[in-house]
Structure formats: C-alpha cells, structure tokens
C-alpha cells in the first residue's frame, strides 16, 4: 500500500514541478521587457532626424529614403512610446507608432519594438545611443517597405541613423 502511494507520488511530483516552472512568467526570460538595458529607454526622449534610412530586401531592391531626398523623423517620449514618420520623396508620408523597450533574454539585452499594429508582439534590433546619435538596425524580416509603390509592403532589413534635433 505504501509502495503504491509512493509510486503515485513519484509519478505526479515531476509533472507538478514541470507545470509549476513552465507556467511561471519569471521562468521564461523571453517574456521580460524592461526599460533599462545597454542604455535607458528614457535617454531616447526627444526628437530625432534621420541621416540615413536604408531598407533592403536582400535581393535586388534597396532604398535609402534620406539619400533619395526624403525624410525620416522620430519623436520619443521618456516612457519609450514613439511616433516614426517616413516621408519618401516619391510618395505620401506615413506614420508608425509603438513602444521601445529592452528584451531580457538569458542575461542579454536586445533592443525591442512593439509596433502598435502588432500588440503583444515585438521585434528585436541592434541599437546604439550616444549624446547626439541613435542608430537602429535589423536583419531580414525586421521591417517592411513598399519598394515599387504598388501598395504591397515587402519584408526587408533596415538600418537607420538619427541625430538629435
């Protein structure tokens, strides 16, 4: 009788421990978005103008919105909320909004953007900040751009450099 009870305990104890740890939010570091990482998100607060804004589909399409006569600007609140305006020279401007954070994953920080169009989901990027410059870069599928102005946005990589204004 005791052996049967111990057998059930040994069967259910590991299952219970697995469920306990797998359902814990603090046990999954990918779920942690924080405001301090390589730099504090609040340090981005203010207005920025792009010196370059590259979109590249990895094949044959590449555009530098600024280099081709357009403008890109971003306004960031101390909370990380932002408004990004992309104004290409050859078409109407458009605006994107979201929130910047850091994703803490296995002890490392990754610059993260949760776009308002995709709530609850975020993309990670490389980012640097100095007193006067902010850069952001992302690999393939980290951005979208309508290369041929046909109304369809294609997946691409991005690289942007900003100066504080």
């Amino acid at each position: 009788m005791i052996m049967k009870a111990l057998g059930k305990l040994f069967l259910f104890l590991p299952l219970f421990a697995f469920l306990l740890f797998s359902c814990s939010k603090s046990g999954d570091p990918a779920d942690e978005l924080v405001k301090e990482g390589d730099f504090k998100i609040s340090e981005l607060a203010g207005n920025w103008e792009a010196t370059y804004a590259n979109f590249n589909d990895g094949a044959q399409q590449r555009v530098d919105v600024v280099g081709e006569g357009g403008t890109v600007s971003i306004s960031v609140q101390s909370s990380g909320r932002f408004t990004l305006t992309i104004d290409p020279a050859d078409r109407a401007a458009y605006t994107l909004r979201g929130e910047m954070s850091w994703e803490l994953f296995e002890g490392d920080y990754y610059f993260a953007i949760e776009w308002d169009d995709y709530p609850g989901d975020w993309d990670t990027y490389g980012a640097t900040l100095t007193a006067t410059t902010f850069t952001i870069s992302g690999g393939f599928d980290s951005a979208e751009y309508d290369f041929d102005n046909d109304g369809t946005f294609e997946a691409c990589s991005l690289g942007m450099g900003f100066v504080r204004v």
Side-chain angles (χ1 to χ4, degrees), residues 2-154:
I2 292 177
M3 286 301 282
K4 192 173 188 178
L6 284 175
K8 287 182 182 179
L9 178 64
F10 287 125
L11 177 65
F12 288 108
L13 187 59
L15 179 61
F16 177 75
F18 171 78
L19 289 173
L20 178 68
F21 290 112
S22 67
C23 294
S24 169
K25 185 169 178 75
S26 63
D28 185 0
D31 285 341
E32 294 184 52
L33 291 180
V34 296
K35 295 298 178 178
E36 293 189 26
D38 292 349
F39 54 84
K40 293 179 183 178
I41 294 298
S42 61
E43 294 174 359
L44 287 169
N47 297 311
W48 301 83
E49 289 290 327
T51 56
Y52 64 90
N54 298 318
F55 298 91
N56 185 339
D57 75 350
Q60 44 188 283
Q61 301 182 95
R62 177 183 168 92
V63 65
D64 177 357
V65 173
V66 176
E68 294 178 10
T71 61
V72 176
S73 61
I74 189 168
S75 177
V76 184
Q77 300 172 9
S78 61
S79 66
R81 291 282 313 151
F82 71 90
T83 301
L84 174 69
T85 302
I86 300 174
D87 189 4
D90 64 344
R91 63 191 82 177
Y94 58 98
T95 301
L96 303 164
R97 291 177 176 79
E99 186 164 351
M100 299 176 187
S101 302
W102 290 98
E103 177 186 32
L104 177 58
F105 182 74
E106 297 181 354
D108 292 318
Y109 292 100
Y110 300 91
F111 190 76
I113 295 179
E114 181 178 351
W115 301 98
D116 283 358
D117 290 345
Y118 302 99
D121 190 20
W122 60 86
D123 296 311
T124 56
Y125 301 86
T128 62
L129 178 67
T130 70
T132 58
T133 64
F134 170 54
T135 65
I136 183 170
S137 61
F140 185 73
D141 208 19
S142 64
E144 296 179 341
Y145 192 80
D146 182 5
F147 289 97
D148 51 11
N149 200 18
D150 66 354
T152 302
F153 284 77
E154 293 86 25

